[in-house]
């Protein structure tokens, strides 16, 4: 009985560990893992387990901005059964990262973008032991080429973060409840008369949408958007297209 009481507060309870095939991924990519559940000191019924793809988002509140965790996507596995002391179960898992998963592997002066996979057990009469696996998320080819075009046009990436909310343009809208902002500043003050550019990407299976917020010295803020087809990614063409949009 004493061991069961300890297990109910997490001491000697079953534990979970998600072992990813790789932590280096791109948005929309399929990933594989082995979920390892190790029994504790007592027999425990495992009603199921939950996996969540999580990021940290900035929220604008009445008292200023603050950061909180936001679930981008989640999955549930059921019918695991009872684990006896000393027993271990391995469950293969495969899923696809949400296409709007924020990019973490970017060279920004201040990078506040973080993504991780969280796994928790649903155990009767026990706390929820969780496992957290940080992910390294890389830009797809369209986003990477767009960022190269920004570099070529004389802009530097100074900040990246993820904000709570949805994006909406004339031909697309985001669905994940959060969006990433990449803040660029010109290396030359007179470049296109722009003080700052904020980019947000909304990738889909075969194309990536880009919402561009322009902060101009004389004309104020404005928005433009474009769509990059994944089978027509070309650095030179993107540079030309961006120059037309920014002037």
């Amino acid at each position: 009985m004493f061991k069961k009481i300890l297990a109910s507060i997490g001491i000697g309870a079953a534990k979970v560990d998600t072992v990813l095939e790789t932590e280096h991924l791109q948005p929309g990519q399929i990933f594989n893992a082995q979920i390892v559940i190790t029994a504790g000191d007592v027999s425990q019924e495992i009603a199921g387990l939950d996996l969540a793809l999580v990021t940290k988002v900035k929220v604008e509140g009445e008292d200023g901005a603050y950061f909180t965790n936001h679930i981008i996507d989640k999955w549930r596995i059921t019918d695991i059964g009872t684990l006896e002391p000393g027993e271990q179960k391995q469950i293969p898992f495969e899923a696809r990262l949400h296409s709007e998963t924020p990019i973490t592997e970017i060279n920004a002066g201040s990078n506040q973008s973080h993504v991780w996979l969280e796994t928790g057990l649903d155990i009767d009469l026990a706390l929820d032991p969780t496992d957290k696996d940080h992910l390294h998320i890389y830009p797809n080819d369209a986003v990477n080429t767009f960022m190269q075009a920004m570099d070529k046009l004389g802009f530097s990436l100074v900040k990246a973060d993820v904000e709570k909310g949805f994006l909406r343009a004339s031909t697309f809208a985001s669905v994940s409840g959060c969006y990433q902002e990449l803040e660029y500043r010109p290396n030359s003050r007179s470049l296109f008369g722009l003080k700052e550019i904020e980019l947000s990407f909304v990738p889909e299976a075969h194309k990536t949408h880009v919402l561009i917020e322009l902060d101009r010295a004389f004309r104020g803020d404005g928005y433009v958007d474009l769509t990059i087809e994944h089978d027509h990614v070309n650095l030179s063409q993107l540079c030309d297209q961006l120059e037309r949009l920014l002037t």
Side-chain angles (χ1 to χ4, degrees):
M1 175 63 73
F2 183 63
K3 285 186 177 180
K4 287 187 176 181
I5 294 172
L6 290 177
S8 71
I9 59 172
I11 301 172
K15 299 188 183 304
V16 63
D17 181 25
T18 296
V19 182
L20 291 160
E21 189 175 279
T22 178
E23 299 91 5
H24 301 268
L25 299 161
Q26 288 185 335
Q29 183 177 342
I30 291 175
F31 67 96
N32 292 274
Q34 288 287 332
I35 302 171
V36 181
I37 307 173
T38 303
D41 296 335
V42 296
S43 173
Q44 287 184 295
E45 177 71 23
I46 311 295
L49 63 85
D50 296 284
L51 296 98
L53 181 67
V54 189
T55 188
K56 193 171 289 293
V57 297
K58 184 168 73 174
V59 181
E60 297 291 343
E62 292 182 1
D63 299 324
Y66 63 93
F67 285 88
T68 187
N69 293 344
H70 174 78
I71 295 176
I72 303 169
D73 208 349
K74 58 186 177 181
W75 306 270
R76 181 167 178 83
I77 299 174
T78 57
D79 301 325
I80 295 172
T82 301
L83 255 70
E84 301 298 337
E87 187 180 358
Q88 187 179 83
K89 284 191 176 183
Q90 293 195 22
I91 302 170
F93 178 75
E94 180 180 281
R96 185 182 295 275
L97 276 188
H98 198 289
S99 62
E100 295 177 19
T101 302
I103 303 159
T104 64
E105 304 309 298
I106 44 180
N107 185 22
S110 172
N111 184 3
Q112 299 175 332
S113 305
H114 307 281
V115 175
W116 64 92
L117 188 68
E118 203 164 285
T119 311
L121 293 174
D122 182 0
I123 304 176
D124 187 31
L125 300 176
L127 293 179
D128 182 16
T130 56
D131 173 55
K132 183 185 288 188
D133 297 277
H134 284 273
L135 302 177
H136 304 276
I137 309 298
Y138 297 83
N140 66 27
D141 188 41
V143 173
N144 189 51
T145 305
F146 196 98
M147 293 170 70
Q148 289 178 33
M150 291 293 292
D151 292 339
K152 280 187 170 293
L153 292 178
F155 292 88
S156 294
L157 179 57
V158 296
K159 183 180 176 183
D161 63 17
V162 184
E163 304 205 1
K164 186 175 178 63
F166 296 88
L167 296 177
R168 186 173 297 278
S170 57
T171 59
F172 65 89
S174 65
V175 297
S176 65
C178 67
Y179 57 92
Q180 187 170 33
E181 280 193 345
L182 305 184
E183 182 181 315
Y184 280 85
R185 290 179 188 163
N187 299 326
S188 168
R189 288 193 179 187
S190 61
L191 189 66
F192 305 123
L194 289 163
K195 295 191 297 183
E196 185 179 283
I197 294 177
E198 289 183 344
L199 303 178
S200 293
F201 297 97
V202 182
E204 296 181 3
H206 304 294
K207 56 190 172 185
T208 293
H209 306 289
V210 192
L211 184 64
I212 307 169
E213 182 179 356
L214 306 173
D215 182 2
R216 294 186 173 98
F218 308 109
R219 285 186 282 167
D221 294 351
Y223 290 89
V224 293
D225 62 83
L226 60 87
T227 296
I228 308 168
E229 300 291 339
H230 289 175
D231 55 355
H232 290 92
V233 178
N234 181 281
L235 178 58
S236 178
Q237 289 178 3
L238 269 178
C239 286
D240 292 343
Q241 194 171 7
L242 265 175
E243 270 195 304
R244 290 193 297 270
L245 287 173
L246 300 181
T247 53

